[in-house]
Amino acid sequence: MPSLTLSLARGALTSPLKRAGRPDATLPADRPSLPAAPAAPGPLAAYRRICGFADSGPLPVTYPHVLAFPLAMRLMTRRRFPLPVTGLVHTWIEISAHRTLHPEDRLELTVYAEELTPHRRGTEVTVVTEARVSGELVWESRSGYLSRHATRPGTSPAAAPPKAAPDPAAADLPAVAEWRLPADLGRRYAAASGDRNPIHLYPLTARLFGFPRAIAHGMWTVARCLAEAPAPDLIRTVRADFRAPVLLPGTVTYATDGTAFQLRGGGDGERVHLTGTASASGTPSAG
């Protein structure tokens, strides 16, 4: 497994050498991959606990993203990658699980960058993750990462429509649960996932990147919402959009109508941190 810590260090060194928004920017053709292997029991168990999934059963639908994230970081911190990884913001994710995955499945993981898209706040890159078992595509995701920079006229969403699902933030979703998030949540999730980005760890390290204190991992917020679903093992498709960071410690409200979901915060509960939709299959696959 590639080291996320080494990738973060490499990203800190290479980011100052890159200039986002270059009109001639191209994406590398690299497709870093990991050979087929089952999920390691210890990290998987820790991930289930911190996200609220059942202690046993199929793989959580978000877990292949966690397994492949070191590959994505290795790709995005290479010199040929056109955007600086420092300050890169995860803006959305789409997941499609083509069948139920199990801990013993030997997943072959591949990551590649698909396209660069103008955004009203800069440039967005789409990173694709694929998981295969014996050559069969069993799971895939697409993630948007935004590099913020000054834009020129004609690069607004009017010229390049944003990739966004119908926004359930406008809907009056009923509140279902209130979660009090401890100050060490970022460190605990980092220990389970390997993602030790300093913005999630301590107030001091978060302030270096412009946050008043540590923020929760976006993928933790998605996973925690999906774990709360009536049948998380049946979820096959997910779309989530990250709206605002969740400061730690803090209190958030989980709201859902059974398909759309939100994570809200603020004193009046009106600050939307996360919106999303999830759909499930009728019956679990034997895999």
Side-chain angles (χ1 to χ4, degrees):
M1 178 66 69
S3 169
L4 272 172
T5 301
L6 289 177
S7 291
L8 287 169
R10 183 169 58 245
L13 292 173
T14 59
S15 287
L17 307 177
K18 301 179 181 182
R19 183 171 60 86
R22 294 192 347 256
D24 60 341
T26 58
L27 290 170
D30 309 47
R31 293 194 173 210
S33 61
L34 284 174
L44 174 57
Y47 180 82
R48 290 184 190 273
R49 286 194 299 271
I50 192 65
C51 296
F53 290 105
D55 291 339
S56 61
L59 279 185
V61 70
T62 48
Y63 199 59
H65 176 90
V66 173
L67 293 175
F69 188 62
L71 289 178
M73 284 297 296
R74 188 169 72 180
L75 173 69
M76 292 189 288
T77 55
R78 287 179 175 171
R79 278 195 169 183
R80 294 189 298 276
F81 192 79
L83 303 178
V85 74
T86 301
L88 207 61
V89 179
H90 195 181
T91 50
W92 56 269
I93 185 169
E94 293 176 343
I95 297 173
S96 297
H98 303 303
R99 69 164 174 84
T100 301
L101 300 181
H102 302 279
E104 61 272 18
D105 285 334
R106 299 179 61 83
L107 298 181
E108 310 158 27
L109 299 167
T110 303
V111 168
Y112 60 93
E114 187 175 62
E115 62 179 323
L116 291 170
T117 306
H119 187 282
R120 63 187 177 89
R121 292 184 177 178
T123 301
E124 191 173 73
V125 62
T126 299
V127 176
V128 180
T129 301
E130 297 177 344
R132 288 178 166 80
V133 174
S134 300
E136 175 194 359
L137 182 65
V138 294
W139 184 100
E140 59 188 314
S141 74
R142 280 169 170 74
S143 285
Y145 295 93
L146 172 64
S147 178
R148 290 176 287 196
H149 58 80
T151 59
R152 297 180 300 276
T155 59
S156 67
K163 290 180 177 180
D167 187 358
D172 186 19
L173 297 181
V176 172
E178 184 177 87
W179 301 329
R180 297 183 183 277
L181 311 182
D184 67 346
L185 175 63
R187 298 191 293 276
R188 291 166 57 198
Y189 182 82
S193 68
D195 184 355
R196 292 181 172 85
N197 188 320
I199 63 175
H200 303 301
L201 303 181
Y202 299 96
L204 179 60
T205 56
R207 287 190 200 109
L208 296 175
F209 296 89
F211 298 98
R213 52 188 195 270
I215 64 173
H217 292 72
M219 286 306 298
W220 177 87
T221 65
V222 176
R224 184 67 188 88
C225 288
L226 297 178
E228 198 74 6
D233 291 346
L234 300 183
I235 292 173
R236 291 293 177 271
T237 61
V238 177
R239 165 76 191 213
D241 292 88
F242 304 104
R243 303 295 182 183
V246 177
L247 296 175
L248 300 172
T251 300
V252 292
T253 298
Y254 167 67
T256 183
D257 63 2
T259 299
F261 59 87
Q262 297 175 338
L263 206 58
R264 302 194 296 248
D268 55 4
E270 294 301 316
R271 182 172 176 79
V272 178
H273 298 291
L274 172 75
T275 66
T277 56
S279 61
S281 66
T283 56
S285 165

